């Protein structure tokens, strides 16, 4: 019995000795990464990470930012380690930012490199930036002390409550390698000292090709997800004047009905939206059902018009962020991706039908 116990204890010691253990106080955990174009072959890698500075018996949190020039992500991390006071590790990355000049040439190889790293989660956020990422990561004041959380919180709350469609690294790669759908990412720009989401970046495979502002992103989210959240402002005609109403999406669902297949497919897109009016200008009486019905009709027509325009623009660019290809492929035996993209998709017809219901008009009544 003693012999068995000794053998078991010895095995446990050997197994424990094989584990790659790292003491948290002896490493630095990277929270954000930014990639910018440096020259034809090299990129500028910028990272931020927290450092605890001891001041007497207390410690204060300080965020540091480092940048290096390299061709690959792993060499960049090695170079960063030559400038850091402790080893840098990828164990806490929340957001990876790509400068637009990098995204125009393609991001697949960089995203795949991060995805293959076992220390990086697949549900971290990716985004594209207008301007250099190292400048956008350089926040001021209190935001600099929480830069690692700042960008992930910014993207997450806009996905959950505003106009940005659902996205993360796993979903981006899923759409990237899909034959019937193209990927999208949030687009960030620095206004003054404050970064803000300004819309959505559209991709042809892994290359950035165009962007949508927040109002068009709102339409894309409705057509793509049919989900809760999102706010947009609309112009309406009331008593011979232009007024504005702001509608918050409470709930929406979208259904794609294939009406014909030959010679080219035609889809009816049924979009049902339940919303609230959160603000308006002019003398609109929201207690009058007739005026509310007029708003429903006017806004519904605008969403339809913008949805139709958006789909046609996607066809001109030969990109499919909505996923018509996935819907067509699900009922096709001999699926040919090139034939779909080059010949069928550009001729596909889509008719957006909007059923908008204003549930209530909030406290402004």
């Amino acid at each position: 019995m003693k012999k068995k116990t000794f053998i078991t204890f010895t095995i446990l010691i050997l197994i424990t000795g094989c584990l790659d253990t790292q003491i948290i106080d002896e490493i630095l955990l990277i929270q954000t990464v930014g990639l910018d174009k440096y020259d034809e072959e090299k990129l500028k890698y910028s990272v931020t990470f927290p450092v605890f500075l001891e001041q007497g018996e207390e410690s204060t949190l300080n965020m540091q930012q480092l940048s290096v020039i390299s061709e690959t992500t792993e060499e960049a991390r090695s170079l960063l380690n030559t400038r850091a006071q402790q080893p840098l590790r990828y164990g806490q990355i929340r957001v990876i930012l790509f400068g637009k000049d990098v995204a125009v040439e393609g991001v697949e190889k960089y995203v795949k490199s991060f995805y293959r790293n076992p220390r990086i989660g697949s549900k971290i956020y990716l985004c594209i930036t207008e301007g250099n990422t190292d400048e956008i990561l350089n926040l001021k004041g209190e935001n600099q002390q929480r830069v690692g959380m700042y960008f992930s919180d910014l993207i997450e709350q806009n996905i959950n409550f505003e106009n940005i469609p659902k996205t993360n690294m796993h979903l981006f790669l899923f759409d990237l390698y899909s034959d019937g759908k193209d990927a999208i990412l949030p687009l960030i720009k620095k206004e003054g000292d404050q970064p803000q989401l300004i819309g959505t970046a559209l991709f042809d495979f892994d290359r950035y090709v165009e962007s949508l502002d927040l109002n068009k992103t709102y339409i894309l989210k409705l057509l793509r997800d049919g989900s809760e959240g999102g706010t947009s402002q609309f112009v309406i005609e009331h008593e011979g004047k232009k007024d504005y109403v702001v509608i918050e999406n409470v709930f929406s669902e979208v259904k794609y009905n294939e009406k014909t297949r030959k010679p080219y497919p035609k889809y009816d897109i049924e979009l049902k939206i339940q919303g609230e009016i959160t603000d308006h200008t002019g003398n609109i009486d929201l207690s009058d059902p007739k005026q509310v019905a007029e708003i429903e009709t006017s806004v519904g027509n605008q969403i339809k018009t913008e949805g139709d325009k958006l789909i046609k623009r996607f066809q001109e660019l030969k990109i499919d962020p909505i996923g018509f290809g996935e819907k067509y492929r699900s009922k096709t035996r001999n699926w040919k991706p090139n034939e779909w993209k080059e010949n069928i998709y550009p001729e596909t017809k889509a008719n957006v039908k909007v059923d908008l219901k204003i549930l209530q008009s909030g406290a402004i009544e």
Side-chain angles (χ1 to χ4, degrees):
M1 182 69 181
K2 288 183 178 180
K3 186 176 180 180
K4 289 183 178 180
T5 303
F6 175 76
I7 293 172
T8 303
F9 183 72
T10 303
I11 292 172
L12 287 173
I13 291 176
L14 291 173
I15 293 174
T16 305
C18 293
L19 294 176
D20 180 17
T21 58
Q22 294 178 326
I23 301 173
I24 192 69
D25 291 339
E26 296 179 357
I27 60 174
L28 300 172
L29 294 173
I30 297 170
Q31 293 187 344
T32 53
V33 178
L35 284 76
D36 294 304
K37 189 74 175 172
Y38 182 74
D39 60 24
E40 289 301 318
E41 296 182 355
K42 295 183 179 181
L43 297 181
K44 184 177 183 180
Y45 289 77
S46 303
V47 299
T48 67
F49 51 89
V51 176
F52 290 93
L53 302 178
E54 293 186 5
Q55 297 180 349
E57 296 182 356
E58 297 182 356
S59 295
T60 59
L61 176 65
N62 185 43
M63 295 298 296
Q64 289 192 11
Q65 180 175 333
L66 289 178
S67 299
V68 295
I69 309 301
S70 179
E71 293 90 353
T72 65
T73 57
E74 278 305 307
E75 185 200 30
R77 189 174 62 83
S78 297
L79 292 174
L80 286 164
N81 276 323
T82 66
R83 301 180 57 186
Q85 63 269 46
Q86 291 175 307
L88 284 163
R89 298 291 182 264
Y90 282 139
Q92 211 175 61
I93 286 186
R94 291 182 170 86
V95 180
I96 301 173
L97 297 84
F98 296 95
K100 190 166 74 171
D101 51 357
V102 175
V104 166
E105 294 186 359
V107 300
E108 180 197 19
K109 59 183 178 181
Y110 308 115
V111 178
K112 281 175 63 178
S113 177
F114 288 113
Y115 191 76
R116 286 194 299 261
N117 193 313
R119 298 181 186 276
I120 298 177
S122 64
K123 294 185 178 181
I124 66 171
Y125 293 117
L126 309 177
C127 69
I128 307 301
T129 66
E130 292 269 7
N132 292 334
T133 64
D134 60 338
E135 296 177 2
I136 289 177
L137 288 172
N138 186 22
L139 303 181
K140 303 295 182 182
E142 294 181 1
N143 288 332
Q144 181 61 29
Q145 302 304 313
R146 56 183 301 274
V147 61
M149 296 292 295
Y150 179 90
F151 288 97
S152 62
D153 288 349
L154 176 66
I155 296 171
E156 185 171 356
Q157 70 94 5
N158 273 273
I159 289 173
N160 291 336
F161 304 109
E162 297 299 336
N163 295 1
I164 303 300
K166 188 179 298 183
T167 179
N168 56 44
M169 183 162 66
H170 175 76
L171 294 175
F172 175 79
L173 287 172
F174 183 85
D175 290 345
L176 188 75
Y177 294 121
S178 169
D179 292 333
K181 195 175 186 181
D182 283 306
I184 61 172
L185 285 177
L187 183 63
I188 290 179
K189 182 179 181 180
K190 199 168 188 178
E191 299 286 352
D193 293 332
Q194 190 75 14
Q196 66 180 45
L197 276 164
I198 61 170
T200 300
L202 306 174
F203 285 79
D204 183 357
F205 187 57
D206 72 330
R207 295 182 301 105
Y208 167 91
V209 293
E210 194 165 280
S211 65
L212 302 177
D213 62 22
L214 286 175
N215 286 330
K216 291 179 180 177
T217 296
Y218 171 77
I219 305 298
L220 174 62
K221 185 174 184 177
L222 292 175
L223 295 174
R224 184 179 166 106
D225 297 330
S227 58
E228 300 176 9
T231 302
S232 193
Q233 179 175 279
F234 299 91
V235 180
I236 62 169
E237 291 286 339
H238 180 65
E239 296 180 349
K241 297 180 180 180
K242 284 186 177 180
D243 287 327
Y244 296 88
V245 294
V246 178
I247 294 182
E248 180 178 345
N249 178 29
V250 176
F251 174 79
S252 66
E253 63 177 1
V254 61
K255 293 182 179 179
Y256 287 77
N257 300 315
E258 187 179 283
K259 307 302 290 184
T260 61
R261 174 159 285 242
K262 300 291 183 179
Y264 301 105
K266 180 178 179 180
Y267 294 90
D268 278 349
I269 304 174
E270 297 179 0
L271 184 57
K272 293 185 178 181
I273 307 170
Q274 296 176 348
E276 294 179 348
I277 297 176
T278 57
D279 197 8
H280 72 87
T281 62
N283 299 317
I284 301 171
D285 183 4
L286 295 176
S287 63
D288 183 352
K290 183 178 179 180
Q291 292 190 35
V292 172
E294 290 175 354
I295 293 173
E296 290 175 339
T297 301
S298 176
V299 172
N301 288 337
Q302 290 179 58
I303 293 174
K304 170 189 168 48
T305 300
E306 289 303 314
D308 290 337
K309 287 181 180 179
L310 212 55
I311 292 168
K312 289 179 181 178
R313 180 56 181 160
F314 295 157
Q315 290 175 304
E316 291 172 1
L317 295 170
K318 293 186 178 180
I319 62 173
D320 188 9
I322 292 176
F324 283 102
E326 289 290 344
K327 297 167 180 60
Y328 184 81
R329 182 174 65 171
S330 66
K331 299 179 180 180
T332 304
R333 283 190 176 183
N334 299 316
W335 167 254
K336 298 178 181 178
N338 290 335
E339 183 183 357
W340 162 257
K341 185 170 185 178
E342 297 298 327
N343 301 322
I344 301 175
Y345 177 58
E347 301 297 329
T348 296
K349 304 298 181 183
N351 179 33
V352 179
K353 299 180 177 181
V354 180
D355 180 12
L356 171 64
K357 297 296 181 186
I358 303 298
L359 300 180
Q360 56 183 343
S361 49
I364 52 178
E365 286 189 7

mmCIF file of all heavy atoms in Angstrom, residues 259-278:
data_model
loop_
_atom_site.group_PDB
_atom_site.id
_atom_site.type_symbol
_atom_site.label_atom_id
_atom_site.label_comp_id
_atom_site.label_asym_id
_atom_site.label_seq_id
_atom_site.Cartn_x
_atom_site.Cartn_y
_atom_site.Cartn_z
ATOM 1 N N LYS A 259 -38.722 33.623 -53.798
ATOM 2 C CA LYS A 259 -39.917 33.589 -54.632
ATOM 3 C C LYS A 259 -39.664 32.863 -55.946
ATOM 4 O O LYS A 259 -40.513 32.116 -56.429
ATOM 5 C CB LYS A 259 -40.398 35.021 -54.910
ATOM 6 C CG LYS A 259 -40.587 35.862 -53.666
ATOM 7 C CD LYS A 259 -41.581 35.253 -52.696
ATOM 8 C CE LYS A 259 -43.000 35.316 -53.227
ATOM 9 N NZ LYS A 259 -43.985 34.820 -52.244
ATOM 10 N N THR A 260 -38.514 33.106 -56.552
ATOM 11 C CA THR A 260 -38.137 32.411 -57.783
ATOM 12 C C THR A 260 -36.660 32.052 -57.709
ATOM 13 O O THR A 260 -35.904 32.657 -56.945
ATOM 14 C CB THR A 260 -38.381 33.292 -59.031
ATOM 15 O OG1 THR A 260 -37.583 34.474 -58.934
ATOM 16 C CG2 THR A 260 -39.846 33.662 -59.161
ATOM 17 N N ARG A 261 -36.248 31.080 -58.573
ATOM 18 C CA ARG A 261 -34.840 30.646 -58.596
ATOM 19 C C ARG A 261 -34.236 30.795 -59.984
ATOM 20 O O ARG A 261 -33.045 31.064 -60.108
ATOM 21 C CB ARG A 261 -34.753 29.196 -58.113
ATOM 22 C CG ARG A 261 -33.365 28.565 -58.225
ATOM 23 C CD ARG A 261 -33.230 27.389 -57.303
ATOM 24 N NE ARG A 261 -33.084 27.832 -55.930
ATOM 25 C CZ ARG A 261 -32.011 27.584 -55.186
ATOM 26 N NH1 ARG A 261 -30.993 26.923 -55.679
ATOM 27 N NH2 ARG A 261 -31.945 28.000 -53.939
ATOM 28 N N LYS A 262 -35.016 30.599 -61.009
ATOM 29 C CA LYS A 262 -34.533 30.680 -62.390
ATOM 30 C C LYS A 262 -35.163 31.861 -63.116
ATOM 31 O O LYS A 262 -36.349 32.154 -62.899
ATOM 32 C CB LYS A 262 -34.855 29.374 -63.135
ATOM 33 C CG LYS A 262 -34.224 28.128 -62.534
ATOM 34 C CD LYS A 262 -32.723 28.127 -62.702
ATOM 35 C CE LYS A 262 -32.110 26.832 -62.166
ATOM 36 N NZ LYS A 262 -30.643 26.799 -62.343
ATOM 37 N N PRO A 263 -34.438 32.554 -63.981
ATOM 38 C CA PRO A 263 -33.009 32.367 -64.261
ATOM 39 C C PRO A 263 -32.121 32.874 -63.133
ATOM 40 O O PRO A 263 -30.985 32.449 -62.999
ATOM 41 C CB PRO A 263 -32.794 33.160 -65.545
ATOM 42 C CG PRO A 263 -33.805 34.262 -65.466
ATOM 43 C CD PRO A 263 -35.000 33.645 -64.800
ATOM 44 N N TYR A 264 -32.666 33.819 -62.303
ATOM 45 C CA TYR A 264 -31.926 34.330 -61.152
ATOM 46 C C TYR A 264 -32.861 34.373 -59.950
ATOM 47 O O TYR A 264 -34.068 34.604 -60.093
ATOM 48 C CB TYR A 264 -31.370 35.728 -61.436
ATOM 49 C CG TYR A 264 -30.435 35.766 -62.632
ATOM 50 C CD1 TYR A 264 -30.852 36.308 -63.842
ATOM 51 C CD2 TYR A 264 -29.154 35.237 -62.539
ATOM 52 C CE1 TYR A 264 -30.004 36.338 -64.941
ATOM 53 C CE2 TYR A 264 -28.295 35.258 -63.637
ATOM 54 C CZ TYR A 264 -28.727 35.805 -64.827
ATOM 55 O OH TYR A 264 -27.890 35.813 -65.911
ATOM 56 N N PRO A 265 -32.317 34.182 -58.762
ATOM 57 C CA PRO A 265 -33.185 34.151 -57.578
ATOM 58 C C PRO A 265 -33.776 35.522 -57.250
ATOM 59 O O PRO A 265 -33.178 36.557 -57.536
ATOM 60 C CB PRO A 265 -32.243 33.682 -56.463
ATOM 61 C CG PRO A 265 -30.869 33.990 -56.943
ATOM 62 C CD PRO A 265 -30.918 33.882 -58.436
ATOM 63 N N LYS A 266 -34.963 35.469 -56.660
ATOM 64 C CA LYS A 266 -35.623 36.684 -56.201
ATOM 65 C C LYS A 266 -36.130 36.437 -54.785
ATOM 66 O O LYS A 266 -36.756 35.414 -54.507
ATOM 67 C CB LYS A 266 -36.793 37.055 -57.114
ATOM 68 C CG LYS A 266 -37.517 38.333 -56.683
ATOM 69 C CD LYS A 266 -38.632 38.693 -57.652
ATOM 70 C CE LYS A 266 -39.347 39.958 -57.198
ATOM 71 N NZ LYS A 266 -40.435 40.336 -58.122
ATOM 72 N N TYR A 267 -35.841 37.386 -53.884
ATOM 73 C CA TYR A 267 -36.198 37.240 -52.474
ATOM 74 C C TYR A 267 -37.127 38.364 -52.026
ATOM 75 O O TYR A 267 -36.919 39.531 -52.373
ATOM 76 C CB TYR A 267 -34.950 37.260 -51.585
ATOM 77 C CG TYR A 267 -34.029 36.085 -51.769
ATOM 78 C CD1 TYR A 267 -33.000 36.127 -52.701
ATOM 79 C CD2 TYR A 267 -34.190 34.920 -51.020
ATOM 80 C CE1 TYR A 267 -32.151 35.047 -52.878
ATOM 81 C CE2 TYR A 267 -33.346 33.834 -51.183
ATOM 82 C CZ TYR A 267 -32.326 33.906 -52.124
ATOM 83 O OH TYR A 267 -31.491 32.822 -52.286
ATOM 84 N N ASP A 268 -38.138 37.991 -51.271
ATOM 85 C CA ASP A 268 -38.916 38.955 -50.501
ATOM 86 C C ASP A 268 -38.344 38.954 -49.087
ATOM 87 O O ASP A 268 -38.266 37.896 -48.442
ATOM 88 C CB ASP A 268 -40.395 38.571 -50.457
ATOM 89 C CG ASP A 268 -41.128 39.007 -51.714
ATOM 90 O OD1 ASP A 268 -40.552 39.781 -52.504
ATOM 91 O OD2 ASP A 268 -42.272 38.560 -51.911
ATOM 92 N N ILE A 269 -37.939 40.133 -48.622
ATOM 93 C CA ILE A 269 -37.356 40.254 -47.281
ATOM 94 C C ILE A 269 -38.397 40.904 -46.384
ATOM 95 O O ILE A 269 -38.699 42.092 -46.513
ATOM 96 C CB ILE A 269 -36.067 41.094 -47.316
ATOM 97 C CG1 ILE A 269 -35.076 40.497 -48.316
ATOM 98 C CG2 ILE A 269 -35.439 41.169 -45.926
ATOM 99 C CD1 ILE A 269 -33.839 41.345 -48.520
ATOM 100 N N GLU A 270 -38.957 40.120 -45.483
ATOM 101 C CA GLU A 270 -39.991 40.613 -44.570
ATOM 102 C C GLU A 270 -39.332 41.054 -43.266
ATOM 103 O O GLU A 270 -38.815 40.243 -42.508
ATOM 104 C CB GLU A 270 -41.030 39.527 -44.312
ATOM 105 C CG GLU A 270 -41.793 39.118 -45.559
ATOM 106 C CD GLU A 270 -42.809 38.028 -45.272
ATOM 107 O OE1 GLU A 270 -42.912 37.604 -44.102
ATOM 108 O OE2 GLU A 270 -43.487 37.594 -46.219
ATOM 109 N N LEU A 271 -39.376 42.352 -43.033
ATOM 110 C CA LEU A 271 -38.730 42.930 -41.859
ATOM 111 C C LEU A 271 -39.795 43.495 -40.925
ATOM 112 O O LEU A 271 -40.485 44.450 -41.269
ATOM 113 C CB LEU A 271 -37.756 44.032 -42.302
ATOM 114 C CG LEU A 271 -36.898 44.712 -41.240
ATOM 115 C CD1 LEU A 271 -36.056 43.699 -40.478
ATOM 116 C CD2 LEU A 271 -36.006 45.765 -41.884
ATOM 117 N N LYS A 272 -39.924 42.883 -39.771
ATOM 118 C CA LYS A 272 -40.887 43.352 -38.771
ATOM 119 C C LYS A 272 -40.130 44.038 -37.640
ATOM 120 O O LYS A 272 -39.217 43.465 -37.060
ATOM 121 C CB LYS A 272 -41.709 42.175 -38.220
ATOM 122 C CG LYS A 272 -42.623 41.542 -39.253
ATOM 123 C CD LYS A 272 -43.491 40.462 -38.630
ATOM 124 C CE LYS A 272 -44.441 39.857 -39.664
ATOM 125 N NZ LYS A 272 -45.310 38.815 -39.071
ATOM 126 N N ILE A 273 -40.544 45.281 -37.346
ATOM 127 C CA ILE A 273 -39.841 46.084 -36.346
ATOM 128 C C ILE A 273 -40.837 46.616 -35.331
ATOM 129 O O ILE A 273 -41.903 47.135 -35.690
ATOM 130 C CB ILE A 273 -39.114 47.283 -37.002
ATOM 131 C CG1 ILE A 273 -38.204 46.816 -38.140
ATOM 132 C CG2 ILE A 273 -38.319 48.062 -35.958
ATOM 133 C CD1 ILE A 273 -37.663 47.961 -38.976
ATOM 134 N N GLN A 274 -40.485 46.490 -34.075
ATOM 135 C CA GLN A 274 -41.226 47.133 -32.995
ATOM 136 C C GLN A 274 -40.295 48.156 -32.367
ATOM 137 O O GLN A 274 -39.178 47.819 -31.938
ATOM 138 C CB GLN A 274 -41.678 46.109 -31.950
ATOM 139 C CG GLN A 274 -42.657 45.080 -32.503
ATOM 140 C CD GLN A 274 -43.021 44.037 -31.483
ATOM 141 O OE1 GLN A 274 -42.403 43.938 -30.432
ATOM 142 N NE2 GLN A 274 -44.040 43.240 -31.781
ATOM 143 N N GLY A 275 -40.722 49.418 -32.346
ATOM 144 C CA GLY A 275 -39.830 50.477 -31.872
ATOM 145 C C GLY A 275 -40.520 51.492 -31.000
ATOM 146 O O GLY A 275 -41.742 51.518 -30.882
ATOM 147 N N GLU A 276 -39.694 52.346 -30.403
ATOM 148 C CA GLU A 276 -40.183 53.439 -29.575
ATOM 149 C C GLU A 276 -39.628 54.753 -30.103
ATOM 150 O O GLU A 276 -38.472 54.817 -30.521
ATOM 151 C CB GLU A 276 -39.732 53.272 -28.115
ATOM 152 C CG GLU A 276 -40.320 52.067 -27.406
ATOM 153 C CD GLU A 276 -39.814 51.948 -25.977
ATOM 154 O OE1 GLU A 276 -38.854 52.666 -25.646
ATOM 155 O OE2 GLU A 276 -40.371 51.148 -25.220
ATOM 156 N N ILE A 277 -40.447 55.791 -30.089
ATOM 157 C CA ILE A 277 -39.971 57.127 -30.434
ATOM 158 C C ILE A 277 -39.366 57.728 -29.170
ATOM 159 O O ILE A 277 -40.056 57.958 -28.178
ATOM 160 C CB ILE A 277 -41.109 58.012 -30.958
ATOM 161 C CG1 ILE A 277 -41.684 57.429 -32.254
ATOM 162 C CG2 ILE A 277 -40.624 59.441 -31.191
ATOM 163 C CD1 ILE A 277 -42.875 58.190 -32.797
ATOM 164 N N THR A 278 -38.071 57.992 -29.215
ATOM 165 C CA THR A 278 -37.385 58.514 -28.029
ATOM 166 C C THR A 278 -37.171 60.020 -28.102
ATOM 167 O O THR A 278 -36.854 60.648 -27.097
ATOM 168 C CB THR A 278 -36.017 57.824 -27.847
ATOM 169 O OG1 THR A 278 -35.229 58.011 -29.027
ATOM 170 C CG2 THR A 278 -36.206 56.332 -27.595
#
